[in-house]
Amino acid sequence: MNIQNVILGFLSEEPMSGYDIKRKMEVTVAHFFDASFGAIYPALRRMEKDGYVKKEVIQQEGKPNKNLYVITSKGQEEFQQYMESPINPTIMRSDFLIRLFFGKFTKEENILQWMENEKEDVKRDLESLLEVQSNSPNTDKYKKITLEYGLEYSKMKIKLLDTQIKFLREEYKEKF
Amino acid sequence: MNIQNVILGFLSEEPMSGYDIKRKMEVTVAHFFDASFGAIYPALRRMEKDGYVKKEVIQQEGKPNKNLYVITSKGQEEFQQYMESPINPTIMRSDFLIRLFFGKFTKEENILQWMENEKEDVKRDLESLLEVQSNSPNTDKYKKITLEYGLEYSKMKIKLLDTQIKFLREEYKEKF
DNA sequence: TGACGCATGTAAAACGTTACATGATTTG
DNA sequence: CAAATCATGTAACGTTTTACATGCGTCA
């Protein structure tokens, strides 16, 4: 999977600009896929050159023009091929967990601070996912599963962090 | 966080070769950090050039020589600086979830197959983490938390996949 | 008036994967 | 006998981030 495949997916649903795609990603797949403008715009140009999408310039008043991209039949074929290809393994890269893993090389205060921060971050993630959920009751069942995945994952993280923070605090107190 | 920081972390524990580091990563941090030989070896060379590590060549019989890397005090300082720096956000990239998200563009059989495969993969991950857990009862408490994280995450995924697979199968049956 | 949202884009740099090359020993 | 393990390394390639550039409208 690369950005191109994901963009083709979004354009299979409706024509969008690079900006639209980025916004859409943020409220739908951000918890398991992320892309920057610097990756999206060049990808769209390439895809136009390769005939996967067609550009339509929309004149707007008071706002910059919009480059609306429409998927072509060649693009649809390409996307279908992607959907039939083998699934790539999930990539995860967690600085937080690396820090924890090497936790014995730093002060316990640092670690507790990291864990509190992480908990707050995850709580915000959870809230934003809950908001998305209540704002989109009519999404299809598969999208609902990916949302559910995000919700369960967040809840699991909060629970685990809560438990472990308490353990560490108990231990910390016992030093006196 | 980059490979260099992680390597410095491992070398803070004991001198290792590039090969050792890779092997160690596989049984400790693979569920939240991954690096290939093509990333590790060049990193070690750079780090030696920059004075973060020292190379010691170990002659071995019947096996290729080993380049054992030892962290220097400059390397220790660098690692401490990393440990005090702000934590980078976690990166996740899941082809599986992207496929699910765009599930309506493919056949339900495909989706069920993906989910079954994913479940089996996660089950294997869980088993390997459980094995690591029973093979290393004396690891420090922070490492234990990262292991616990992996275990809980795997269990969560299996549970969710199980539930959702059953739902989809029920629905599927009702079509008759 | 400064920041933010809308909107697009490029170029450089950083980072990493993949594939290839080498070669001995051990294991099934 | 083939495959896996041990062990290191390079080069090509691909991808992505970051930073920069532009510019209007709105809102506090």
Side-chain angles (χ1 to χ4, degrees), chain A residues 1-3 5-10 12-13 28-35 79-80 82-108 110-111 114-115 118 140-143 145-146 148-150 152-154 156-157 160 164 168 171 175, chain B residues 1-3 5-10 12-13 28-35 79-80 82-108 110-111 114-115 118 140-143 145-146 148-150 152-154 156-157 160 164 168 171 175:
Chain A
M1 169 209 39
N2 50 31
I3 287 187
N5 302 136
V6 180
I7 291 177
L8 286 174
F10 280 107
S12 292
E13 307 200 311
T28 51
V29 299
H31 56 296
F32 55 86
F33 184 87
D34 179 54
F79 183 64
Q80 280 308 313
Y82 158 65
M83 290 294 272
E84 299 290 335
S85 72
I87 295 185
N88 286 330
T90 298
I91 291 158
M92 181 162 154
R93 198 154 245 246
S94 169
D95 195 9
F96 168 68
L97 289 172
I98 284 287
R99 302 288 176 110
L100 245 190
F101 185 80
F102 292 122
K104 69 167 167 182
F105 296 115
T106 197
K107 287 165 285 179
E108 184 140 281
N110 280 353
I111 295 162
W114 293 340
M115 291 175 80
E118 179 73 9
D140 66 74
K141 56 183 174 180
Y142 304 119
K143 289 198 171 67
I145 298 176
T146 64
E148 185 74 10
Y149 183 103
E152 288 304 313
Y153 188 21
S154 298
M156 178 230 108
K157 284 189 271 189
L160 187 141
Q164 299 298 334
L168 291 177
E171 251 188 7
K175 284 187 184 167
Chain B
M1 170 209 38
N2 50 30
I3 286 187
N5 302 135
V6 181
I7 291 177
L8 286 173
F10 280 107
S12 293
E13 307 201 312
T28 52
V29 299
H31 56 296
F32 54 87
F33 183 87
D34 179 53
F79 183 64
Q80 279 306 314
Y82 157 66
M83 290 294 273
E84 299 290 336
S85 72
I87 295 186
N88 288 329
T90 298
I91 290 158
M92 182 163 154
R93 200 155 243 248
S94 170
D95 194 10
F96 168 68
L97 288 172
I98 285 286
R99 301 287 177 110
L100 244 190
F101 185 80
F102 292 122
K104 69 167 165 181
F105 297 115
T106 198
K107 286 166 284 177
E108 184 139 280
N110 280 352
I111 296 162
W114 294 340
M115 292 174 81
E118 180 74 7
D140 67 73
K141 55 184 174 179
Y142 304 119
K143 288 197 173 65
I145 299 176
T146 64
E148 184 74 9
Y149 184 102
E152 287 304 313
Y153 189 20
S154 297
M156 179 230 108
K157 284 190 271 188
L160 187 141
Q164 298 298 334
L168 292 178
E171 250 188 8
K175 284 186 183 167

Side-chain angles (χ1 to χ4, degrees), chain A residues 56-72:
Chain A
E56 281 173 23
V57 181
I58 309 287
Q59 309 287 335
Q60 295 189 125
E61 292 160 36
K63 284 184 196 176
N65 287 344
K66 216 182 226 240
N67 294 342
L68 210 68
Y69 290 91
V70 183
I71 193 165
T72 63

Side-chain angles (χ1 to χ4, degrees), chain A residues 2-12 16 18 21 25 39-55 69-76 78-79:
Chain A
N2 50 31
I3 287 187
Q4 181 176 301
N5 302 136
V6 180
I7 291 177
L8 286 174
F10 280 107
L11 296 184
S12 292
M16 280 189 238
I21 292 169
M25 281 180 176
I40 293 169
Y41 287 124
L44 283 167
R45 300 209 115 201
R46 258 201 321 276
M47 289 160 75
E48 198 198 358
K49 204 194 73 197
D50 294 344
Y52 298 137
V53 297
K54 247 182 16 221
K55 182 164 83 173
Y69 290 91
V70 183
I71 193 165
T72 63
S73 58
K74 193 181 167 192
Q76 276 164 1
E78 180 69 16
F79 183 64

Side-chain angles (χ1 to χ4, degrees), chain A residues 16-31:
Chain A
M16 280 189 238
S17 68
Y19 196 83
D20 294 337
I21 292 169
K22 171 83 171 143
R23 285 298 99 116
K24 200 78 188 241
M25 281 180 176
E26 273 162 15
V27 291
T28 51
V29 299
H31 56 296

Side-chain angles (χ1 to χ4, degrees), chain B residues 15-21 55-60 63-69:
Chain B
M16 280 189 239
S17 68
Y19 196 82
D20 293 338
I21 292 169
K55 183 164 82 176
E56 282 173 22
V57 181
I58 308 288
Q59 309 288 333
Q60 295 189 128
K63 285 184 195 175
N65 287 343
K66 218 182 223 236
N67 294 343
L68 210 68
Y69 289 92

